[in-house]
């Protein structure tokens, strides 16, 4: 497919359109921040991060760490048609959010509404099995069963981090990496790429622990899990907070040979992350992911242009996917706040 047409089609997928609908919320988001730590609580990253700073804590080692909070709501049709997988996915997505911030999950809570006790049981079983696999306790929630309800599921998670991977850390000339588990398959008739089936909990926990390791060893600056907006949509959310641009080599993105680019770029994988790092850290990052069976590669570099450009070197094609100078994506951009903080310092 010709590159311009491919990017045009991706810009108009329902998932991309739904992210752009967030403008109405982000337009009313006013920042009142006095430090970068206070800005971590605002929308933009995969989780909100709150600095622990309490002189009365019995365990003073907790001070200087961050409490993380995230929440995922599952699409009603997903909950209705695939209750077990929806339950599993809600937990998995939240754990990925915590990891993308450089954290480790502590506990999961849920709220569900359903008309069927059997389907509700399957939702709960999916959540419980995922929690068992990832070693995170399911500690409660709120369950509603009544014939008049629209089936729905929302799952929230708490975590903790010593060092953050934040989209607020993106700066020019950082390399952009993608980490994907290619050992999976699509869930039927969806863009969900499943990499967890028939995989032990030990392996799943080892793989997800790579993200906080990258943070704590200062190997990466930022991360974003690849969500329902797909690879390029998630890339925009990685870059938008700082209005950064990027040059992306499409050919460098790992992809199964039997999947076309239009479908692959829309994937919502059970393990998939975008990261930024210095060039001299990339080899170590790639090796760490490879040690856990995860494919990782450098796919581009950030810049100050505000323009996300895509090239296919093999086809000698080049096109603009997004220009933050003329169009917001979600609207969660903190350039002005970051500039004010820089002037204070």
């Amino acid at each position: 497919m010709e590159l311009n047409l491919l990017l045009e089609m991706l810009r108009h997928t329902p998932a991309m359109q739904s992210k752009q609908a967030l403008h109405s919320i982000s337009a009313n988001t006013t920042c009142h921040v006095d430090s970068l730590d206070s800005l971590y609580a605002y929308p933009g990253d995969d989780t909100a991060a709150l600095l622990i700073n309490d002189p009365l804590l019995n365990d003073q080692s907790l001070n200087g760490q961050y409490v993380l909070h995230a929440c995922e709501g599952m699409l009603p049709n997903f909950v209705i048609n695939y209750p077990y997988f929806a339950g599993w996915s809600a937990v998995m997505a939240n754990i990925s959010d915590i990891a993308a911030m450089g954290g480790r999950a502590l506990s999961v809570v849920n709220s569900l509404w359903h008309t069927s006790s059997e389907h509700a049981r399957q939702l709960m079983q999916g959540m419980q099995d995922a929690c068992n696999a990832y070693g995170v306790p399911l500690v409660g929630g709120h369950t509603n069963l009544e014939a008049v309800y629209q089936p729905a599921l929302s799952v929230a998670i708490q975590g903790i981090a010593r060092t953050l991977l934040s989209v607020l850390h993106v700066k020019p000339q950082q390399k952009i990496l993608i980490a994907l588990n290619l050992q999976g398959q699509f869930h039927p008739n969806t863009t969900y790429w499943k990499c967890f089936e028939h995989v032990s909990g030990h392996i799943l926990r080892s793989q997800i622990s790579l993200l906080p390791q990258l943070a704590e060893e200062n190997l990466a600056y930022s991360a974003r899990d690849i969500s329902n907006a797909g690879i390029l949509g998630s890339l925009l959310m990685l870059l938008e907070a700082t209005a950064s641009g990027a040059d992306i080599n499409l050919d460098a993105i790992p992809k199964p040979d039997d999947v076309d680019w239009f479908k692959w770029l829309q994937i919502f994988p059970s393990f998939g992350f975008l990261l930024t790092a210095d060039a001299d850290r990339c080899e170590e990052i790639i090796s760490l992911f490879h040690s856990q069976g995860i494919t990782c590669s450098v796919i581009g570099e950030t810049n100050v242009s505000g323009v996300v450009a895509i090239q296919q070197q093999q086809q000698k094609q080049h096109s603009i996917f997004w220009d933050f100078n003329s169009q917001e994506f979600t609207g969660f951009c903190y350039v002005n706040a970051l500039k004010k903080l820089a002037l204070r310092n």
Side-chain angles (χ1 to χ4, degrees), residues 182-244:
L182 298 183
Q183 301 172 47
Q185 62 183 352
F186 283 107
H187 193 74
N189 304 314
T190 73
T191 57
Y192 299 106
W193 180 256
K194 299 187 295 185
C195 321
F196 60 84
E197 291 182 313
H198 314 298
V199 179
S200 72
H202 172 73
I203 291 175
L204 293 175
R205 292 190 294 274
S206 295
Q207 291 173 340
I208 206 71
S209 69
L210 290 172
L211 278 300
Q213 180 180 348
L214 294 178
E216 291 160 9
E217 295 181 9
N218 295 310
L219 293 175
Y221 292 110
S222 67
R224 179 109 203 169
D225 83 313
I226 299 170
S227 62
N228 66 323
I231 293 174
L232 295 184
S234 299
L235 174 68
L236 295 185
M237 291 188 285
L238 179 76
L239 300 170
E240 186 172 26
T242 56
S244 297

Side-chain angles (χ1 to χ4, degrees), residues 61-126:
S61 67
L62 291 172
N63 279 328
Q65 297 190 51
Y66 297 85
V67 175
L68 308 179
H69 298 277
C71 182
E72 292 284 347
M74 295 291 102
L75 294 171
N77 284 342
F78 191 32
V79 173
I80 293 169
N81 296 323
Y82 308 103
Y84 178 86
F85 186 40
W88 178 289
S89 297
V91 170
M92 175 191 68
N94 270 303
I95 288 173
S96 292
D97 285 345
I98 293 291
M101 201 69 176
R104 292 178 169 83
L106 295 176
S107 62
V108 169
V109 295
N110 69 88
S111 295
L112 69 87
W113 292 259
H114 220 296
T115 60
S116 163
S117 58
E118 172 58 23
H119 281 194
R121 187 196 65 77
Q122 292 179 45
L123 279 169
M124 289 297 298
Q125 192 63 57

Side-chain angles (χ1 to χ4, degrees), residues 130-178:
C131 283
N132 291 342
Y134 286 100
V136 182
L138 183 64
V139 297
H142 189 66
T143 304
N144 308 270
L145 289 173
E146 184 65 46
V148 298
Y149 289 140
Q150 165 72 48
L153 174 65
S154 177
V155 174
I157 193 167
Q158 299 75 44
I160 195 163
R162 295 187 181 93
T163 307
L164 296 180
L165 299 173
S166 172
V167 296
L168 298 170
H169 300 164
V170 174
K171 292 183 179 179
Q173 297 182 320
Q174 293 175 0
K175 295 297 183 182
I176 301 171
L177 301 95
I178 190 169

